[in-house]
Amino acid sequence: MMQEDADTGAPEASKPFLDLIKDGEKALSTYQEKCDSIDAKYASLKTMAEALGDREFQIFWANLEVLKPSIYTRSPQPVVQPRHRDGQEVQRKASEMLERVLEMDIEADDLHDTLLMVRDDLATSARGVPWVLDNGECLHVDRRDFVHDPARKWKECGWVARRAYMTREAIADRFPDADRTKIKFEEVKKDDADDYKTSRKKASVWEIWHKGRQAVIWVTPDYPEVLEVSDPLVNVKGFFPCPKPAYGTLERGTLKPVPDFVYYRDQVDEINELTARISSLSESLRLKGFYASGTSEVGEAIEAAMKQTDNKAILVPVSSTAALGGGKLSDAIVWLPVDEVAQVITALVQLRKQLIEDVYEITGLSDIMRGATEASETATAQNLKAQYGSVRIRERQNEMVRVARDVIRLKAEIFAEKVPGAELAVMAGMSFPSQMQPVEGEKTVFIEQIDQLLKNERLRPFVLEVESDSTIAPNEEAEKQSRIEFITAMGAFIQQAGAMVAQQPETAPFAAELMKFTAGGFRAGRELGQAIDEFAELVKQKAAEATQNQGPTPQQQEMNQMLQERFAELQEFEKRLDKQARDQNVQLHDAKVTEIQERTNKTLAEIAKIQAEPVQVQ
C-alpha cells in the first residue's frame, strides 16, 4: 500500500531510497567495470566471430570450464532432522514432513538451474546472488540488479535491493495506485549489445528490504513517490529474503568482490600477444627463393618440380645448364632463411608454455584436474594431485554448500510459517489424524501438534535442524569405501555389544548410546539416523523387559541383603549416639562431631559404590 508522510500526509518521497541505490552502485562501480571486461573476455560472440581478428589462446575460458563443475555439479538434497537425538515423535514427524515438502519444491522450482547460475557468477565475478520470493521460489539475481548497503561485513548490512523489470500491465496489477504516465518505460538490453534487447518496453523497479525500518520499499527511477511500503510477508531469520551471497575473494574491510581473473590477467595478455606473434610468423613460414630475372626458366622449373605429385617423375627438363649458374642450382637461387623463423617460433612456443604453467600455479588448477597425468604415475600420486587441486577450490565449494543450505532454510521457514500443516501433509504425501478425531489405544501424533511446532518461529530453530547434503559430485570409489567402512565398523560393534548386553542387560543403554556415537562419524550413519535411533531405543526396551522378567540372581540377592544389614547397623549406631547425647546432656566437641560425620559419609559412599558395581552372572 502507498505510504504517506507522517507530518504532511503526502505520499512518501522516493528520493532518499533512490539515493541509497545510487550509493550502493557507486561503491561497486569499479567492480562492475572490471566484470564487464571479464565477461567480454570470457565469451563475446561479436569479437570471436571476426575472421580477421587477432589470434588468442582461450585459456581463461578453458580454466573456467574446468573450475565450474569442480565447484558445484549436482542439486542439493534437503536434510531435516531433530536437533537433538532424544527428540520427541512430534519432532521426528515434523522433520520428515518438512523434508519431503522441500524435496518436492526443490525439484519443481528447478533450484539446481538457479544455483548453476550462482556458481557461474562466483567463478567468473567472485559473487553469486540467489533471491527467495515469498512463495518459496528462488531466483538468480544478475550482478547489476543487486545492490546492498556498502558495509564492511554482511551482518552490518542495513538494506539490500533487487531490480526487476516490469511491463505496463505488471505495474498496473502490482501497483494500481501508481501514475503510469510518470513511470519511465524503456527497452531492456544487455550492456554494449544493441542487437540483444526486448521489443517490449519495461520499467526498472527496485525492491528494497530495509532492516532498520523492518519494511519493504518499492521505488522506480524518475518517479517522485514510493510505489509501495509494506511489512515483510514472512519473518525469516536475518530479515533479508536472500542469504549472504556466494563470495570469492573480498577486498579487505569491504564487501567488494575481487574476481580471480584480475590476478592473472597480465599473464593472459602476454599469452595472447605471443599467440598473435606465433600466428604472424607462421604465415611467413613459407619456402621462398630469389633468382636473376634473366633466368626465368629456372624459376619455372623449380615451381614445376615443387608442384609435381607423380613419384615416378624425377627429373625436370631445363633447356640450358648455363641457366643454373654453371651447373649449380644453389648459385642460381637464394632462399629465404626459414630456419631462423622456425627457431623464433619454437622459442615463442616455449615462452608461452611457461606462461601457461604460471597461470596454472596462480589459479591452483592441478594437473589431475586438467587430465594431464603421466602414465607412469601411481594411483596414489594422482590422488595426491586431485586432493591438492581440491584444497585450492575448497572455499568456493564451501560457499556453494553454504548458499544452498541457506536457500533451503529460507524455503523451510516460508513453508513452515505460511502453509497450513494439513496442506503440508498433502504436499508431503503423509497422513496424520486430527485432534478432532482422536485415535484410542495408541500414542498418536496429531497434525495440530506438528502445525503448532512449525508455526512457532521462536521454538522451531531450537528443535529442528535444516541442512543440505554435499553439492559436489561424489567420488564413487570414495563413497563405496566409506559405506564399506561403515558396515565393517558397525558389524564388529554389534557383535561385541550384543554379547555384552546378553550377559548384562543393564549395559544396554550404554551400548545403544555408543552405537549412535559410532554411526555419527559416517555419512551413511547420518542418512540412517532415524533408523539407528529407533533400533537403539528398541535395544534399551528389550533389555529392560529382560531384566524385569529375569528377576534378581542369587548373587544380587546376597549383595542386597548385605547392603541392607550394613545400612541398618549404621542407622543403629547413629541412634545410640543421639540417645547418649540426650541422656547425659553432654556437648560433644566439634572435632568429634566432624569425625562422626566423616565416618558416616564414608560409609554411605562405600554403599553407593557397591550398588553401582555390576554383578557378574555365572
Side-chain angles (χ1 to χ4, degrees):
M1 59 180 294
M2 189 74 69
Q3 184 79 6
E4 294 183 352
D5 188 273
D7 297 329
T8 64
E12 187 172 3
S14 63
K15 187 178 184 304
F17 303 105
L18 293 173
D19 289 342
L20 289 179
I21 299 295
K22 290 181 181 178
D23 291 341
E25 290 180 325
K26 183 179 180 181
L28 293 178
S29 59
T30 302
Y31 163 74
Q32 298 291 1
E33 292 173 1
K34 294 292 184 183
C35 289
D36 288 341
S37 63
I38 290 173
D39 289 344
K41 178 71 68 175
Y42 173 69
S44 175
L45 183 61
K46 181 179 180 181
T47 303
M48 295 180 178
E50 293 178 355
L52 301 178
D54 294 336
R55 300 292 186 268
E56 292 185 352
F57 190 87
Q58 300 298 337
I59 188 172
F60 177 50
W61 173 84
N63 284 350
L64 283 183
E65 292 307 301
V66 171
L67 183 63
K68 289 190 295 187
S70 302
I71 296 176
Y72 170 86
T73 352
R74 66 185 183 94
S75 177
Q77 296 298 316
V79 178
V80 185
Q81 59 186 6
R83 188 171 292 276
H84 305 290
R85 289 291 186 180
D86 56 349
Q88 301 175 359
E89 190 65 19
V90 174
Q91 299 175 13
R92 293 182 185 277
K93 294 300 182 182
S95 300
E96 182 182 359
M97 184 176 73
L98 190 57
E99 181 174 311
R100 288 189 181 189
V101 171
L102 290 172
E103 288 177 350
M104 177 275 300
D105 178 73
I106 288 175
E107 182 178 354
D109 188 26
D110 201 4
L111 179 62
H112 178 55
D113 186 61
T114 300
L115 292 178
L116 283 176
M117 290 185 282
V118 172
R119 176 205 69 181
D120 292 349
D121 285 351
L122 172 62
T124 308
S125 309
R127 189 187 75 178
V129 183
W131 188 283
V132 182
L133 302 180
D134 54 22
N135 62 356
E137 181 183 0
C138 183
L139 304 176
H140 164 259
V141 184
D142 186 83
R143 57 179 172 83
R144 284 192 173 273
D145 296 335
F146 178 76
V147 183
H148 60 77
D149 188 11
R152 296 174 301 172
K153 56 192 69 174
W154 183 252
K155 288 187 177 180
E156 295 179 355
C157 277
W159 57 270
V160 297
R162 175 183 71 96
R163 176 166 52 189
Y165 295 95
M166 306 179 68
T167 62
R168 290 182 180 273
E169 294 79 5
I171 291 287
D173 183 61
R174 182 65 179 80
F175 311 107
D177 297 333
D179 186 355
R180 295 189 297 279
T181 61
K182 296 180 181 179
I183 297 179
K184 184 179 180 180
F185 292 88
E186 57 186 354
E187 295 177 340
V188 180
K189 64 180 181 179
K190 187 178 182 295
D191 295 337
D192 301 325
D194 294 335
D195 59 334
Y196 194 78
K197 58 186 178 183
T198 178
S199 59
R200 302 186 65 187
K201 292 185 177 182
K202 298 181 179 180
S204 61
V205 180
W206 286 97
E207 176 186 357
I208 307 173
W209 286 65
H210 201 289
K211 187 182 294 185
R213 290 188 53 171
Q214 290 289 299
V216 184
I217 301 102
W218 297 77
V219 295
T220 184
D222 301 326
Y223 192 76
E225 304 165 358
V226 297
L227 296 174
E228 182 182 279
V229 178
S230 61
D231 296 330
L233 294 179
V234 181
N235 183 19
V236 297
K237 183 180 179 181
F239 180 74
F240 297 142
C242 61
K244 175 185 175 183
Y247 280 118
T249 304
L250 291 175
E251 191 173 292
R252 295 282 294 172
T254 71
L255 288 174
K256 186 184 297 184
V258 181
D260 292 347
F261 181 65
V262 301
Y263 290 100
Y264 63 95
R265 178 157 194 166
D266 292 343
Q267 285 75 17
V268 172
D269 289 340
E270 290 185 46
I271 290 172
N272 289 333
E273 184 179 349
L274 291 176
T275 301
R277 290 185 190 178
I278 293 171
S279 177
S280 269
L281 290 174
S282 298
E283 290 292 329
S284 64
L285 192 61
R286 294 186 178 133
L287 188 61
K288 297 288 184 179
F290 304 92
Y291 60 88
S293 59
T295 58
S296 60
E297 185 179 356
V298 176
E300 295 173 357
I302 293 175
E303 289 184 3
M306 296 182 67
K307 295 178 181 180
Q308 184 62 256
T309 59
D310 188 358
N311 294 331
K312 296 181 179 180
I314 300 175
L315 302 178
V316 178
V318 178
S319 60
S320 174
T321 57
L324 300 177
K328 293 183 179 180
L329 184 60
S330 59
D331 295 336
I333 300 177
V334 177
W335 299 98
L336 276 177
V338 293
D339 291 341
E340 286 78 357
V341 177
Q343 291 175 6
V344 173
I345 292 177
T346 302
L348 291 176
V349 170
Q350 287 297 118
L351 180 57
R352 186 179 66 175
K353 182 178 179 181
Q354 180 59 49
L355 287 171
I356 293 173
E357 292 179 358
D358 291 345
V359 170
Y360 292 165
E361 288 292 329
I362 295 173
T363 58
L365 293 174
S366 65
D367 294 338
I368 190 69
M369 293 174 63
R370 303 189 62 85
T373 59
E374 300 292 337
S376 59
E377 288 182 334
T378 63
T380 302
Q382 295 183 358
N383 287 335
L384 288 174
K385 285 185 176 182
Q387 292 174 9
Y388 172 76
S390 65
V391 166
R392 295 293 298 270
I393 62 172
R394 189 168 297 166
E395 288 191 4
R396 304 293 190 271
Q397 295 173 344
N398 292 338
E399 277 293 281
M400 286 303 302
V401 171
R402 177 190 61 78
V403 167
R405 179 203 64 195
D406 291 349
V407 167
I408 290 175
R409 286 180 175 177
L410 284 172
K411 285 176 172 286
E413 289 189 74
I414 292 172
F415 282 118
E417 291 185 16
K418 293 191 63 177
V419 183
E423 186 175 340
L424 287 175
V426 174
M427 295 169 63
M430 301 175 68
S431 178
F432 298 97
S434 172
Q435 289 178 339
M436 303 299 295
Q437 300 173 347
V439 179
E440 298 181 356
E442 57 180 284
K443 186 177 181 181
T444 306
V445 175
F446 298 104
I447 187 62
E448 289 84 0
Q449 294 175 295
I450 296 177
D451 191 45
Q452 183 180 6
L453 173 63
L454 295 180
K455 294 296 184 292
N456 192 332
E457 61 186 53
R458 297 185 61 183
L459 178 63
R460 185 177 59 244
F462 293 98
V463 297
L464 298 184
E465 183 180 15
V466 181
E467 294 286 342
S468 69
D469 68 348
S470 176
T471 59
I472 310 302
N475 185 310
E476 293 184 359
E477 292 301 323
E479 185 72 12
K480 291 178 182 178
Q481 185 65 28
S482 176
R483 292 177 183 270
I484 292 173
E485 291 178 0
F486 173 74
I487 295 297
T488 303
M490 291 303 298
F493 172 81
I494 291 175
Q495 182 178 5
Q496 297 174 3
M500 179 180 68
V501 173
Q503 293 181 2
Q504 296 177 291
E506 62 271 16
T507 62
F510 171 74
E513 293 300 323
L514 188 59
M515 179 177 64
K516 291 192 289 185
F517 174 79
T518 304
F522 296 88
R523 175 176 175 78
R526 184 181 182 184
E527 295 173 352
L528 298 174
Q530 183 174 351
I532 291 174
D533 288 348
E534 293 175 353
F535 178 73
E537 293 299 324
L538 181 62
V539 170
K540 294 180 183 179
Q541 180 181 351
K542 293 296 184 182
E545 294 175 355
T547 302
Q548 293 176 357
N549 296 333
Q550 181 179 1
T553 62
Q555 292 85 351
Q556 291 174 330
Q557 293 178 355
E558 181 179 353
M559 181 67 67
N560 291 335
Q561 181 67 25
M562 183 185 67
L563 292 175
Q564 291 175 4
E565 292 176 356
R566 293 197 61 181
F567 189 70
E569 292 175 1
L570 178 63
Q571 289 179 326
E572 184 65 26
F573 175 71
E574 290 179 337
K575 289 179 180 179
R576 288 200 304 270
L577 289 178
D578 291 340
K579 186 175 184 300
Q580 182 180 3
R582 287 194 302 269
D583 294 343
Q584 299 181 4
N585 195 17
V586 177
Q587 284 287 12
L588 298 177
H589 192 272
D590 291 343
K592 189 65 176 178
V593 173
T594 303
E595 180 182 356
I596 294 174
Q597 291 176 344
E598 289 178 352
R599 288 177 58 189
T600 302
N601 293 336
K602 184 177 180 181
T603 304
L604 290 174
E606 291 178 354
I607 294 174
K609 181 178 179 182
I610 294 173
Q611 290 177 329
E613 292 178 353
V615 178
Q616 298 294 332
V617 180
Q618 299 298 328

